[in-house]
Amino acid sequence: MKKASSFEIVAARCWNLLNEGKPFTPIFVVGAFLLYRANQWGDIDFWRSAGLGLLLLLPLLAIYYRYDFPLFMRNYLWLPLVAALLIWEPGPLALYLFALGLFYFFTVYFWGTFYYHLRIGTSWWNFKRFWKLVLKNSDSTSGNAQEQMPKFLLLLLVWNHFYASFAEDGIGDWADRAWPLGAFALGLWLYSFILHANLFDWKPAENAPPTNNAVVPDKAPNDKVIVIVIDGMRKERFEEADAPFLKKLRAEGTEYAQMETVYPARTVVCFSSMFTGTYPREHGIKSNMVWKLGIKVESIFDSLRKVGKKGRLLGIAHLIDSMGDDVESVTAVMHNDVADRNIIERAKKIMSEQNPDLLVAQLIGVDQTGHSQGVLYDEYLQKIKEADRLVEQFVGWLEQRGMMSNTTLIVCADHGQADGIGGHGHLDEGERYVPFFLHGHAIRRGHRVDEKTSLISMAPTLAYLLGAPYPSHSRGPVLVEALQPHLRELS
């Protein structure tokens, strides 16, 4: 299986500019405005007037970059648009119809059909379902129509007003014309601040103390740990799926029934928290769009190096942005029906050739199916079924080679998925709690933990099992409830 090429790594970062909602909004507004007036590009006065209007628009762009308006808070985005319509002339209806058409062309056809067909092999008819997913999506991406539409319509209205004003009357008394915008921007900021301060209250608490509930044992309980992360596997859909092997592992091991992901529940954020043991505010990765490459703190891979051990993370290109050289990248440009199979074959190769003490493998088929075709359809359950068979095959292969004799196997998801285009980010229904269970000789059999726990406990638990120091900023407690009694060395 091919590694992700340098081109794919750069392309993935560029795509995130259009995929993540925060950078998409200004890019789309500028693009829509300029394309609508493409016939005026040769006129220097057009660029002067458009540039001055864009300059005045910057405070509004900054406010909408700062505030997401997640989940039900999207409904409050329409009130500023109504206020703007009362203050300024709306301008040409054709501009807004063009922008709406361009938005749906980009999300429903270019992204939901053309892009997914070329990258993972979805049907050319995927747009027939994808438009519904865009309307239902609550994710923090460009495909969140209910958040993006009121934002870009308001921004285009204000920009077009000042563009027309400068084009007709010149700069002149621009300050007199602009003061209503200053008052509006101040009101929009205050409105956004008050809404987020009073209504945005569903983020998981970030108050875990530094890891200290278990002493790292002198002798590591395990020789190896294998972590299988089934990206984007929604918890109750896993319960509905035909996945006998995974459910057998869970029944024979220890399950954490209320394992909570972090906020925002984006893949690179979740992986960074899982393998550093801390929150985004400390490790510095706050979305899939990573502006400054690399985590700011130690990871479990750093901890293992301190005791002469080795860990590898097998995943797609965007994990390199946070974990760097600890990632064995795989190309994400392949048909979704073979993606996980190829990843498992690559995992076998890593175990054969490198024999790491810790292997983390990211299976991507479930997540990609949710994003391209939705989580409430049969295709999503089918991908969970396929993941189950592949994990069974991989574990059997490891057992044949004697690699499971003193090994703990951890199976989990990094986040769930909501309705719409496999939404995950804002912790809508289906995102927050993830499947998580451990299996092996060191793990209690038939045990279930119902207390709420967090994925930040992954890193310190791995350190404990492999006899390594906890990562420098690890805050999650070791999952000692899962360990056999003689392996718990509580402080």
Side-chain angles (χ1 to χ4, degrees):
M1 181 183 185
K2 293 192 303 181
K3 292 185 177 182
S5 65
S6 298
F7 174 80
E8 184 179 342
I9 293 168
V10 173
R13 291 168 182 163
C14 293
W15 176 249
N16 275 330
L17 289 169
L18 297 176
N19 181 43
E20 293 293 312
K22 285 180 180 290
F24 172 80
T25 303
I27 291 172
F28 180 79
V29 168
V30 171
F33 185 89
L34 294 181
L35 286 174
Y36 177 73
R37 299 188 180 277
N39 64 328
Q40 298 174 260
W41 288 6
D43 184 355
I44 190 66
D45 289 335
F46 162 75
W47 293 104
R48 182 199 64 190
S49 301
L52 289 170
L54 180 60
L55 188 64
L56 292 178
L57 192 67
L58 290 179
L60 301 187
L61 288 169
I63 292 168
Y64 278 157
Y65 189 89
R66 169 64 180 82
Y67 293 104
D68 278 327
F69 287 82
L71 304 189
F72 70 89
M73 293 174 67
R74 297 177 298 180
N75 300 328
Y76 292 91
L77 283 166
W78 294 101
L79 292 179
L81 177 58
V82 171
L85 286 167
L86 296 175
I87 298 171
W88 297 290
E89 289 293 325
L93 178 62
L95 170 62
Y96 312 115
L97 293 176
F98 174 78
L100 289 168
L102 184 62
F103 175 75
Y104 279 98
F105 171 79
F106 170 77
T107 57
V108 174
Y109 186 77
F110 181 81
W111 177 12
T113 305
F114 180 76
Y115 167 81
Y116 276 129
H117 178 80
L118 293 183
R119 205 192 110 197
I120 64 172
T122 53
S123 166
W124 282 113
W125 298 96
N126 203 45
F127 63 87
K128 294 174 67 177
R129 180 184 299 175
F130 205 76
W131 71 271
K132 303 174 188 177
L133 304 181
V134 167
L135 287 177
K136 292 170 65 178
N137 184 32
S138 58
D139 189 11
S140 52
T141 70
S142 54
N144 183 342
Q146 295 182 61
E147 181 178 333
Q148 291 297 332
M149 287 192 300
K151 283 184 175 180
F152 71 68
L153 289 173
L154 168 62
L155 294 166
L156 286 171
L157 184 154
V158 174
W159 189 4
N160 185 74
H161 169 81
F162 285 98
Y163 158 76
S165 178
F166 288 129
E168 293 173 10
D169 303 324
I171 299 177
D173 56 347
W174 69 270
D176 291 337
R177 284 179 280 166
W179 76 261
L181 178 59
F184 182 85
L186 180 62
L188 180 61
W189 171 80
L190 187 62
Y191 176 75
S192 303
F193 176 81
I194 291 172
L195 285 176
H196 282 72
N198 291 279
L199 299 181
F200 191 13
D201 58 0
W202 60 87
K203 289 172 61 173
E206 295 186 358
N207 55 7
T211 302
N212 61 3
N213 71 317
V215 177
V216 177
D218 294 332
K219 185 180 186 305
N222 281 141
D223 295 330
K224 296 184 185 299
V225 178
I226 307 291
V227 180
I228 306 293
V229 183
I230 303 176
D231 199 319
M233 184 166 68
R234 180 164 164 164
K235 195 170 190 296
E236 90 268 10
R237 295 295 274 167
F238 169 59
E239 299 297 341
E240 298 168 16
D242 176 16
F245 182 72
L246 292 176
K247 292 173 183 178
K248 177 175 177 286
L249 289 176
R250 181 179 64 179
E252 294 177 351
T254 294
E255 175 191 10
Y256 282 81
Q258 289 200 73
M259 181 61 73
E260 190 174 33
T261 190
V262 296
Y263 186 92
R266 306 291 283 158
T267 294
V268 184
V269 180
C270 296
F271 269 76
S272 299
S273 288
M274 279 195 288
F275 298 111
T276 62
T278 191
Y279 304 111
R281 59 181 166 82
E282 287 191 323
H283 61 61
I285 307 299
K286 299 180 179 178
S287 78
N288 281 352
M289 183 69 244
V290 179
W291 296 104
K292 186 176 181 181
L293 300 181
I295 51 175
K296 297 178 180 178
V297 300
E298 285 183 356
S299 71
I300 183 60
F301 305 103
D302 297 314
S303 297
L304 290 173
R305 278 188 282 271
K306 290 180 180 180
V307 292
K309 294 186 176 182
K310 182 177 183 179
R312 301 302 292 161
L313 169 54
L314 176 63
I316 58 177
H318 60 193
L319 294 179
I320 295 173
D321 292 353
S322 63
M323 293 294 177
D325 293 338
D326 290 313
V327 176
E328 290 267 351
S329 68
V330 297
T331 179
V333 183
M334 56 183 156
H335 199 289
N336 206 32
D337 288 344
V338 301
D340 286 347
R341 190 187 320 153
N342 289 345
I343 289 170
I344 289 297
E345 290 305 311
R346 179 73 175 280
K348 293 176 183 177
K349 185 175 181 182
I350 292 171
M351 294 303 295
S352 295
E353 296 179 356
Q354 301 180 35
N355 194 25
D357 304 283
L358 168 66
L359 174 69
V360 180
Q362 176 198 23
L363 300 185
I364 61 175
V366 172
D367 186 66
Q368 292 189 152
T369 298
H371 285 308
S372 59
Q373 298 177 287
V375 300
L376 302 182
Y377 294 87
D378 290 341
E379 295 95 333
Y380 186 79
L381 292 180
Q382 176 63 27
K383 275 291 171 285
I384 297 175
K385 176 181 177 180
E386 291 174 13
D388 174 82
R389 306 305 189 266
L390 288 169
V391 174
E392 181 179 21
Q393 179 198 100
F394 183 48
V395 172
W397 182 90
L398 291 169
E399 288 174 340
Q400 289 174 4
R401 283 153 184 79
M403 292 182 173
M404 292 297 291
S405 59
N406 188 21
T407 296
T408 288
L409 176 66
I410 301 175
V411 179
C412 67
D414 53 339
H415 54 74
Q417 291 196 345
D419 299 350
I421 54 173
H424 59 90
H426 291 318
L427 299 186
D428 200 353
E429 182 182 359
E431 296 179 52
R432 190 180 199 107
Y433 295 101
V434 299
F436 190 102
F437 46 93
L438 307 88
H439 182 278
H441 294 303
I443 304 303
R444 294 175 67 180
R445 293 178 60 86
H447 187 58
R448 172 180 164 126
V449 178
D450 289 316
E451 288 76 23
K452 185 183 292 187
T453 44
S454 171
L455 280 176
I456 65 170
S457 283
M458 174 75 84
T461 301
L462 294 175
Y464 187 94
L465 290 172
L466 291 170
Y470 303 129
S472 60
H473 288 67
S474 176
R475 290 186 171 275
V478 176
L479 300 175
V480 292
E481 306 89 350
L483 302 177
Q484 293 284 4
H486 68 280
L487 295 175
R488 300 180 219 168
E489 298 187 26
L490 300 182
S491 58

